[in-house]
Each structure stands twice: as structure tokens, then as C-alpha cells.
Amino acid sequence: MVLLFNKTVISHVIFRELLHKLSLGRLILKITHAFATAVTLTSSPKSVGDIEKQVPRRISGADALMDALRRHGVDTIFGYPGGAILPIYDAIHKAEEQGWLKHILVRHEQGGSHAADGFARATGRVGVCFGTSGPGATNLVTGIATAQMDSVPMVVVTGQVPRPAIGTDAFQEIDIFGVTLPIVKHSWVVRDASDLASVVAQAFLIASSGRPGPVLIDIPKDVGQEFFDYFPVEPGSVIPPGFRLTDAPDSSAISAALDLIEKAQRPLMYVGGGVISAGGHENLAAFVKRHKLPVTTTLMGKGAFDERDPLSVGMLGMHGTAYANFAVTECDLLIAVGARFDDRVTGKLDTFAPRAKVIHFEIDPAEVGKNRRPEVVVLGDVGVALAQILELSKQRDVKPKTLSWLARIDLWKERYPLMSPPKEGQIYPQEVLLAIRDLAPSAFLTTDVGQHQMWAAQYLRNAPRQWASSAGLGTMGYGMPAALGVQVALPEELVVCIAGDASILMNIQELGTIAQYKLPIKVVIVNNRWQGMVRQWQESFYEERYSATDMLPGMPDFMALAKAFGVGGVLITEREDLQRGLEKAFASPEPMLIDIHVRRGENCYPMVPPGKSNAEMVGLPAHPELAMETTRNCPDCGASTAHEHRYCPACGISL
């Protein structure tokens, strides 16, 4: 029996079949399986170098998967076990014993996918999550879609029923490959254990290159159990069929873009999450300061440019600042960098930057011209493109023409600032965010989805990769598990999750994960006892018919809930306790759930109503002049002309 096991020509599967035919019984099968496991464990290397000395090596598919992940720098996995993925979890057990892997047991697979997402956003590394077949796999779908919409690199590994059972409607079988086709960059069903190393290498390359996104690897149970001659595959050594690395930005397009920027009187930088993914924030800051360009960011782009800088106009769009929305309506050149002209940004599309030429810096060709046709396209890595345009700019004599434009924006900032909450009555939700901004200026921030998310985007300030929020999909329940992923990745940092009382209940079970691993996350519930954003829309557009949005009936005692999970709690209902309560919670080395009761009927303003232009906001502190004026003055000679005219009738300069 020992001789048979040491002969590489006889596979473990064949040996098992032989024993079955000889009718030696289940006892012998157990003995041989234990022996095979012992051989694998005793030959397990202590380092990658040791592995290479022993290639090829006879191991199981599950062990091959773990070795491949290790070679790609994976040291953290978020997941939840189940029947079909048990062979892989057995390999996880060995990896944890060897000391190179930490597995975080979440309480729901969706929590695992959001945690991997938060891990990736905070670090720039690929997040990894595991789930079993059937409901385990379908529970991951929302997290996969969230990552796809927000371009987050993630590798998702699911267990699958054994190969002979695929297509038979076996217990907990689901075609997760088919289910997720529209929401992944690529996916595989691994039907041969010898393909695992190559698939992992391809998965990490695809997830992290170009426009990042999630990929799926579905592994049948018997593939994980199968023994084979393992040949390691190094990162980047396998190029998937049809795969192309991103081309370098075209130098003529860079030059054309700079030409337009130098001529513009009212330019506006419109910055999205692509700048953060590409690590282009430093070159962005240097370029805009050199050319005196105002900067607005999307929800995904928060942190790409310092919002305390005078050139910042904050976030634009449906709940953006008034001055950002006026600026985008009035600009004569819109410079989109790593942004995709999302409907929550543009409002009524044909009134979005209606008088502006457009430059689009973009890595994904599918986004170019999809919603707005640009005059100049700079296709390629936006980090590289920003470095190139900055270098080209340094070769020219820069004479910004934006002083009068910046003065006009400053006037809008004075007239239409974000609300400064009154100091009487119940606590205003805006007060909560301002207090957090003062007490935790360098915290890593995550949010759930709703009014609190928009208030957080309006009032909080953060550096690159210190903001994680579900922007494209708008996933309620995202914030706390995402914070879990951030805190695991960055154990020494302060991590604050801004949640709503409705959103937090979507994945409240992850308090158990936070408690188990003693993660010192501070979860702040902005509690107005409503589904706040839905209620605001019902008030504004459905004649105050509040259908199924009141969360007060059935509202849990969050302090009792926190205690039940073993998490500390702070309840704040009075203004005089707000600062002191938050200080106490943030200073604690333990995880804390902070329940802050705020005014029930407060709305999030400004707001661009559906079907309106960005200039037609409601909820401003005073009725604004429309940004789309009928006349304008020449910045050189002062002559007045119709707003749509592109040249001054008096001196002839381009307006």
C-alpha cells in the first residue's frame, strides 16, 4: 500500500477505486485517506522556496488552491464554510496552522463579500472571500455586484457540488457561474484540479488590471479532494486568452487635452474613483494647483483631492454642494478623470454641463461616449495620464485664466454653503457628522446607504482610500462589514462606520464577527427611526404617503443588542451628551455601537429632483439665482453678450 502511494503514476482517485473493487471496506479507505493526508502534511513546505525545490508535488486540489493564493500575497480570507467547500476549508485549517493565513469567519456570506470589498478599497490589494455552493454562493451575489459597480478588485471562491452531480439539481446546486455572468469581469468552473494554479494566476491578473473588478472561481467538491501532480504557477506568468494590458495614453491626446485646458475660461475638474484606483491623487493635486482649476468629486472620488483646499468645490450631483452643481452647469470645459457620467451625477443628461467641451480621461473604452460624447479622449491608465499631462505642463509657460471663474465659485460658496445645523431642539443629523469630523479627522470611514451616507459625503473629509461607500449599487448593509474588512487590513487605524437605523439591520449579525475578533470598530447609527431617504422621496414626490418606511415599530434596543453580541454601546439622545459620548466611544480600545437619536423629519439637501438639471436644486438656504444666466460679461473688456455666444462682440476673444 505504501509503495502504491509513492508511485506518482497511480493517482489517489484510482487507488480509491481499486480498493472499492477489491471490497476491502470503508475501514481500509479511512486508513489510506489518513495516510495520504499524513504524507501531504509531512511534505508541506515552510516557505515558497521549499515548494519550488519539490516541484512537482502530489497534493490535493484544495491544497493547490491555498498554495496558489499564498503565492499571490493572500494572507486574509473572509468566508463561511459549508458542505461543498469543506475540502477547501480543511486546507484553510492547515494554512492557519502554518501561520501564513488568517481566515475571518463572518456570520453571513454577504458580510464576507463586503468585508473583502472594504479590505480592497482600503489597501489597494485584491480582496478574497469564500462561500459554499447553493445559498452560500447566491448570498455572495449582492457583494459581487457592489464590487463590480464600484470597480473593486476581488476574487470570490465558491464551492460546487461534485462534477458528476452538476446539472442534476443536486442538493445545494446552483449555477453560480451563470448567475454572476453580468456582474463579474471573468469567471471559471474548475473541472480539473491541475488547472487551479493557472486559474488563480489569471484571476488575480484580471481582477487587478485595467478597470478593477470581481472575478469568480467555482470549484466542485471532488476537484478540491482530487490528488494530482502540482506544478506551481507564479503571479503574472499566465496570460489569459484575449487579455491585453492597458495601452499607454496617446501623447497627441494628452497634448490636445492640455491645449483645451489652457484656453478655457471656466474649466472644472470632475474626478471619480478611477483616480484613487490608479494612485493618481498627487499628480492630480499638482496639476490643478499649477493651472488653478476648481475640482469636484463623485461619491467614489472622495479623497482624490483635499476638500479643505480652496480649489475644492466638494461633491457634485443629486446631493452635491450647490456650488459644485452651479459650477458644472456654468463651466466651458469639463475635464472628467476616472469618472463615468453616472445618472446621480449628471441629473437630466442634456442639461449637464450644457455649454462645455469635454475631455475624458478613462481606462475603460466602454465608458467613453456612453453617456456624454467627449471632444478629447485620453484612453489609458489615468494615473499614467495625469503624470504625463503634468510633465507636459511643466514644459509650457502656464498662464491660468481662471481667476474671475474662481471668484464666482467663491461667491456661490458664500451664498449657498452646506447647512449649519441649529443648536436647539433635537440633535440634527448634520451635527453628528460635524462632530465626527472634529473628533476623528483621520479616521477610515465606511457608510451604509441613505440620507446618512449623503450627509457623510457632504460633511466628512478624508484622504485617498479612507472612504468606502456603496456608490453604484447603493447596497444597504454595506457599511459595517466593509468596516470589518478595513479594520482587519489596518488593525492600528481608527475605523468609523456611519450607518442608518434601517441599513444597519441588513447585516447586523456581523456584530458577532466584530466581537469574535475584537475589532475596535466604531459603528455610529444616525437614528431617525425611518428609512430616511425613501421617506424623503415619499414626502417630496408622493404627497407624503409614507408607505412601508416607518422603522419605529419593531425598532430594536440597539444597546441591548450590542450587549447580547458582546459589543460596547453608547446611547445619545441629548445634544449635551453628543460630544462627550462620541469622545468616550472613540477613545475605547473595544468595538463600540453608538446609537444617536436625531430629528425624525430632517431631509438631506441640496437635492436635484429627478428629471431636473443640476442647477435646479431644492432645499437651498435661500432661493438661488439660476446658474444658467442669459448674459455674461467678457473677462477682458467687460462687454456684455448673450450667454450662448462663444466670442466677445467687442474685443473678439473666445469666451
Side-chain angles (χ1 to χ4, degrees):
M1 185 159 50
V2 173
L3 289 174
L4 280 172
F5 250 106
N6 285 329
K7 288 189 178 294
T8 57
V9 293
I10 300 181
S11 75
H12 179 58
V13 175
I14 293 174
F15 187 62
R16 286 181 61 197
E17 291 176 353
L18 179 62
L19 290 175
H20 276 300
K21 289 177 181 177
L22 293 173
S23 302
L24 296 180
R26 304 181 86 182
L27 178 61
I28 296 178
L29 279 174
K30 287 181 180 180
I31 294 171
T32 55
H33 176 73
F35 181 82
T37 303
V39 169
T40 303
L41 285 172
T42 55
S43 63
S44 294
K46 296 180 180 178
S47 69
V48 172
D50 292 332
I51 294 173
E52 290 167 346
K53 293 174 187 175
Q54 299 178 36
V55 173
R57 186 163 61 103
R58 195 155 194 81
I59 62 175
S60 70
D63 287 324
L65 171 69
M66 300 316 297
D67 181 68
L69 291 174
R70 182 182 183 182
R71 288 172 179 270
H72 285 79
V74 175
D75 55 18
T76 306
I77 292 171
F78 304 90
Y80 199 98
I85 203 170
L86 277 183
I88 293 171
Y89 266 80
D90 192 47
I92 286 175
H93 180 75
K94 287 181 274 185
E96 288 193 293
E97 283 190 333
Q98 291 165 8
W100 64 266
L101 179 71
K102 186 177 181 94
H103 177 274
I104 304 297
L105 172 64
V106 293
R107 269 44 181 182
H108 190 284
E109 289 89 355
Q110 185 181 141
S113 58
H114 293 328
D117 178 304
F119 180 98
R121 295 197 204 212
T123 63
R125 297 165 57 194
V126 177
V128 180
C129 61
F130 281 13
T132 195
S133 64
T138 56
N139 283 344
L140 290 164
V141 169
T142 297
I144 296 170
T146 300
Q148 174 75 352
M149 291 287 279
D150 289 351
S151 304
V152 178
M154 196 159 77
V155 170
V156 181
V157 176
T158 52
Q160 183 56 274
V161 298
R163 285 168 291 186
I166 292 176
T168 68
D169 291 332
F171 176 68
Q172 291 192 334
E173 180 190 0
I174 194 73
D175 178 13
I176 196 63
F177 177 92
V179 167
T180 58
L181 271 178
I183 54 171
V184 294
K185 288 187 72 177
H186 201 75
S187 49
W188 297 262
V189 178
V190 182
R191 293 179 180 269
D192 187 332
S194 64
D195 292 334
L196 275 165
S198 172
V199 166
V200 169
Q202 294 176 64
F204 275 80
L205 178 64
I206 292 171
S208 58
S209 62
R211 181 178 177 178
V215 298
L216 173 81
I217 305 174
D218 193 36
I219 304 175
K221 184 175 183 178
D222 57 332
V223 170
Q225 295 169 319
E226 184 175 271
F227 277 71
F228 70 106
D229 290 334
Y230 173 59
F231 291 86
V233 175
E234 295 305 316
S237 63
V238 177
I239 306 300
F243 177 84
R244 284 184 57 189
L245 288 172
T246 305
D247 292 331
D250 182 65
S251 58
S252 62
I254 296 280
S255 181
L258 188 56
D259 290 343
L260 281 181
I261 291 168
E262 289 179 334
K263 294 174 184 176
Q265 305 282 333
R266 299 183 310 283
L268 180 66
M269 292 290 286
Y270 156 44
V271 176
V275 171
I276 296 171
S277 294
H281 53 279
E282 291 182 357
N283 287 327
L284 172 75
F287 183 77
V288 300
K289 290 176 182 179
R290 181 174 171 80
H291 289 266
K292 300 292 187 290
L293 303 173
V295 180
T296 184
T297 59
T298 66
L299 186 63
M300 282 293 298
K302 271 186 68 65
F305 187 73
D306 187 353
E307 292 183 83
R308 295 163 295 190
D309 191 288
L311 290 172
S312 172
V313 293
M315 186 177 72
L316 80 165
M318 178 171 281
H319 290 283
T321 66
Y323 32 93
N325 284 335
F326 285 158
V328 78
T329 307
E330 281 291 290
C331 69
D332 64 0
L333 179 67
L334 187 65
I335 309 145
V337 189
R340 60 185 181 86
F341 296 88
D342 174 73
D343 63 295
R344 293 292 161 128
V345 163
T346 65
K348 188 179 180 183
L349 191 58
D350 59 6
T351 64
F352 180 69
R355 302 185 182 90
K357 293 182 178 180
V358 173
I359 301 169
H360 197 175
F361 290 79
E362 177 58 53
I363 197 169
D364 185 356
E367 292 295 343
V368 175
K370 185 175 79 174
N371 294 324
R372 176 67 182 263
R373 186 183 299 276
E375 275 69 28
V376 174
V377 178
V378 181
L379 195 59
D381 187 300
V382 297
V384 175
L386 286 168
Q388 290 181 355
I389 199 169
L390 176 61
E391 186 59 34
L392 182 60
S393 170
K394 290 177 179 178
Q395 299 170 19
R396 300 187 184 184
D397 184 19
V398 174
K399 296 179 180 177
K401 302 176 181 178
T402 60
L403 292 181
S404 61
W405 173 232
L406 293 174
R408 187 173 185 191
I409 291 174
D410 286 342
L411 182 61
W412 285 330
K413 288 182 179 180
E414 290 177 18
R415 289 185 181 178
Y416 312 112
L418 290 171
M419 174 194 175
S420 181
K423 296 298 184 182
E424 65 271 351
Q426 289 182 295
I427 300 170
Y428 279 76
Q430 296 90 334
E431 282 182 85
V432 177
L433 281 308
L434 288 169
I436 293 170
R437 186 171 81 184
D438 292 341
L439 292 169
S442 34
F444 281 71
L445 305 163
T446 72
T447 80
D448 270 324
V449 170
Q451 286 178 317
H452 61 278
Q453 176 191 33
M454 294 296 101
W455 282 315
Q458 289 174 345
Y459 289 93
L460 297 181
R461 309 284 180 261
N462 58 274
R465 296 203 175 278
Q466 289 185 220
W467 171 265
S469 187
S470 175
L473 196 64
T475 304
M476 293 175 71
Y478 170 84
M480 189 163 64
L484 190 162
V486 176
Q487 191 75 82
V488 168
L490 305 168
E492 302 304 315
E493 300 291 345
L494 174 60
V495 179
V496 178
C497 168
I498 313 298
D501 53 278
S503 280
I504 193 70
L505 292 173
M506 293 282 186
N507 276 311
I508 194 71
Q509 75 284 338
E510 296 312 322
L511 282 174
T513 310
I514 291 170
Q516 177 182 348
Y517 296 98
K518 297 179 172 58
L519 301 172
I521 299 164
K522 316 308 175 192
V523 181
V524 179
I525 302 175
V526 183
N527 190 343
N528 60 10
R529 285 79 76 202
W530 285 103
Q531 296 168 33
M533 189 61 80
V534 184
R535 183 209 59 78
Q536 180 171 337
W537 277 56
Q538 289 174 336
E539 175 187 314
S540 302
F541 311 119
Y542 294 90
E543 298 177 350
E544 301 184 25
R545 293 187 292 274
Y546 300 124
S547 175
T549 49
D550 187 352
M551 298 299 289
L552 187 55
M555 176 67 64
D557 179 341
F558 284 109
M559 294 301 95
L561 196 56
K563 183 178 180 181
F565 277 105
V567 171
V570 175
L571 174 64
I572 301 172
T573 60
E574 303 296 332
R575 177 173 286 103
E576 54 267 27
D577 298 327
L578 179 60
Q579 192 86 4
R580 183 171 60 253
L582 284 171
E583 284 179 350
K584 176 185 174 183
F586 288 177
S588 171
E590 303 297 326
M592 299 293 290
L593 185 68
I594 306 124
D595 183 16
I596 306 177
H597 290 201
V598 299
R599 297 181 78 233
R600 287 207 77 196
E602 185 67 15
N603 286 335
C604 184
Y605 292 127
M607 182 173 77
V608 178
K612 300 294 184 180
S613 80
N614 280 4
E616 298 176 275
M617 291 165 282
V618 296
L620 295 181
H623 185 72
E625 81 279 11
L626 283 177
M628 298 173 68
E629 296 175 352
T630 57
T631 63
R632 57 178 162 172
N633 295 328
C634 173
D636 274 14
C637 70
S640 179
T641 185
H643 205 294
E644 62 270 17
H645 293 169
R646 294 189 175 272
Y647 296 93
C648 174
C651 66
I653 73 159
S654 172
L655 300 175

